[in-house]
Amino acid sequence: MVPGGGLLLFRVDGVPVLLAPSWWIGSLVVVVLYAPLVGRLLPGAGTATAWSLAAAFAVLLGLSVLAHELGHAVVALRLGIPVRRVRLFLLGGLSEVTRTPRRPAHEGLVAAAGPVVSILLAALCALLLLAVPSGGAAWLLVAECAVANLAVGVFNLLPGLPLDGGRMLRAGVWALTGARVQGTRAAVVGGGLVAAGLLVWALWGLAEGSPDRWLRLGVCVVTAWFVASGASAELAAEKRRSWPAGLAVTDLVRPVLQLPAESPVSDALAASAGRGVVLVRADGVAAGLLDEASAQQLAASAPHSPAELAAEPIRAETVLLVSEPGEDIAERVRETPAWQFLVVDDEGRPAGVLRREDLRAAMSPRGRSW
């Protein structure tokens, strides 16, 4: 078990594929609701056969979702977009990328990969049906696989977030307008319409007395909730990511001061005076940024200790280009476990230090949470 994630099934290019505990709940619901339907699809099937085929359908649905999500993950990795993990939960799955696609084309390609995999698998199963004698359990099992993949593929093409069709819609609007936030807003509206449509379809089945009405109701209610909450989360994430108009990173950075790494930590603290401090060794290599909290603790016990002992290493992910788009800077700061970042110009020269608290203060008044 992976803490907070679920059961580790395997890894793809180092990316863990996890089975969340809620998947078992969703599968149990599918089995309970689908088993009575087997008797109508396969007359003469006994109770054991009906429950076995219902369980097989739940497993096949899970495998269909898994193949779908792996399609997303593989394409994202090929485009250089890191993937944190792939999770299967309740009646769905999620490929968690650690960085927002930089271009609308990349967003569209990653989004389209899942439905393409699902529809191709559905087509293969449909061809296999031609070779299996009709009317038996084996035929129904293959038909279940075709239906499961087709359902996963077609449903995810609906134009609303957080579904793939919504991401494709966002990519299209983004490409046309040049503003990702406009695409997100359009796709969030689509997500609301999809959720409403699912509930209407479920109620229609009840009113018409459809044979699958209870299965339809259970699946639609859970899925509508998933779509509505996912669309809301996407809108909130977009608000956090959006960079205020007219704000430049140079408006937020603190002046940078370079000091020898061997300077007494008490002197380095006194000289900083609210500025960012780059500690440089005698060979000209930067030892890191002075960490004020660590420096204060060290100065209290050993004020003449080298300031380098209180340095925070400068890593690739904590270096920002002054020319980077504001949205990319905000996302990097949000995702990187560091409280200060070195900002450099296009020549690599230090231009200042950006502190997380300063960026938070600049964006929070506009309704953004961190």
Side-chain angles (χ1 to χ4, degrees), residues 247-262:
L247 180 66
V249 69
T250 51
D251 298 331
L252 303 178
V253 299
R254 301 189 180 203
V256 62
L257 174 68
Q258 296 190 44
L259 292 177
E262 63 273 13

Side-chain angles (χ1 to χ4, degrees), residues 98-232:
T98 59
R99 174 173 62 78
T100 302
R102 303 284 192 245
R103 297 161 52 189
H106 286 181
E107 170 119 35
L109 287 171
V110 173
V116 167
V117 169
S118 297
I119 292 172
L120 285 177
L121 288 174
L124 288 174
C125 291
L127 289 175
L128 186 58
L129 280 176
L130 301 177
V132 178
S134 62
W139 183 90
L140 182 58
L141 197 61
V142 177
E144 286 176 350
C145 190
V147 170
N149 279 285
L150 185 62
V152 170
V154 172
F155 173 71
N156 273 279
L157 286 174
L158 295 177
L161 284 172
L163 303 175
D164 299 327
R167 299 186 189 282
M168 294 165 69
L169 173 61
R170 173 165 63 189
V173 175
W174 181 7
L176 289 173
T177 65
R180 189 176 191 273
V181 65
Q182 297 299 330
T184 297
R185 289 171 181 165
V188 165
V189 172
L193 294 175
V194 168
L198 286 169
L199 295 177
V200 168
W201 187 55
L203 293 175
W204 181 268
L206 287 176
E208 292 291 309
S210 175
D212 66 343
R213 59 189 180 277
W214 298 115
L215 175 63
R216 186 190 302 186
L217 178 65
V219 172
C220 285
V221 167
V222 173
T223 308
W225 170 83
F226 167 74
V227 171
S229 60
S232 176

Side-chain angles (χ1 to χ4, degrees), residues 280-349:
V280 183
R281 298 192 182 102
D283 58 4
V285 177
L289 293 172
L290 184 70
D291 185 329
E292 285 190 3
S294 299
Q296 289 171 356
Q297 292 179 359
L298 182 60
S301 58
H304 298 292
S305 299
E308 182 177 357
L309 297 178
E312 184 178 11
I314 298 174
R315 309 186 305 274
E317 59 269 26
T318 61
V319 177
L320 305 172
L321 278 173
V322 73
S323 58
E324 280 188 77
E327 289 83 359
D328 294 348
I329 289 176
E331 185 171 4
R332 181 102 70 85
V333 171
R334 188 168 57 249
E335 295 175 350
T336 304
W339 70 278
Q340 59 180 344
F341 297 78
L342 180 64
V343 180
V344 300
D345 62 20
D346 293 334
E347 302 298 325
R349 296 183 296 252

Side-chain angles (χ1 to χ4, degrees), residues 23 26-27 29-31 34 53-69 88-93 118 141 144-153 155-156 215 219 223:
W23 181 85
S27 296
V29 170
V30 170
V31 170
Y34 186 71
L53 289 174
F57 178 71
V59 172
L60 289 171
L61 183 61
L63 291 174
S64 300
V65 173
L66 175 59
H68 180 99
E69 294 303 328
L88 300 184
F89 57 91
L90 205 55
L91 296 178
S118 297
L141 197 61
E144 286 176 350
C145 190
V147 170
N149 279 285
L150 185 62
V152 170
F155 173 71
N156 273 279
L215 175 63
V219 172
T223 308

